[in-house]
Amino acid sequence: MPSFVPVAHVGDIPPGQAKAYVVGDFEIAVFNVNGDFHAIENACPHQGGPLAEGWIDGTIVTCPWHAWCFDVRDGSMTLGGYTTVDTFDVQVEGSTISVWSEPRS
Ligand code: FES
């Protein structure tokens, strides 16, 4: 049964940074964009690069391996548009960040 799974506290992910967490069957990268949290699949769809370790500019993350770029809000690829990454709903209650255990459809 899908549910929100607590993964971190707000202070664990400073603005402009990301961290990866395992939620069920998924490894999910959680980004702090000026206090708004967004979650996408951590593995880049190209060759699996860790997107939580990518370069972050606003809502755009650039994969650290071969520089494919994705918008963390909707998982869209910003150059080329060949593919997308899965996105996950995020809930912040108090200081706890939780991620929905299944991707958005
Ligand atoms: S693995 Fe991400 S761009 Fe190649």
Side-chain angles (χ1 to χ4, degrees):
M1 178 78 76
S3 62
F4 277 106
V5 177
V7 295
H9 294 286
V10 169
D12 295 339
I13 312 172
Q17 296 188 27
K19 289 191 177 167
Y21 302 94
V22 174
V23 176
D25 295 334
F26 300 97
E27 186 169 330
I28 298 173
V30 181
F31 296 80
N32 181 342
V33 180
N34 298 322
D36 292 328
F37 291 90
H38 302 275
I40 63 173
E41 179 182 5
N42 190 42
C44 177
H46 181 215
Q47 293 181 356
L51 293 174
E53 297 175 24
W55 297 278
I56 303 166
D57 182 11
T59 63
I60 307 301
V61 61
T62 300
C63 180
W65 285 6
H66 314 101
W68 286 19
C69 301
F70 300 93
D71 191 319
V72 302
R73 295 172 297 183
D74 62 7
S76 61
M77 187 177 180
T78 59
L79 287 176
Y82 315 125
T83 186
T84 60
V85 290
D86 283 339
T87 59
F88 298 78
D89 288 331
V90 177
Q91 182 181 71
V92 179
E93 284 187 326
S95 64
T96 301
I97 303 168
S98 299
V99 175
W100 191 248
S101 59
E102 296 285 340
R104 292 182 186 129
S105 54

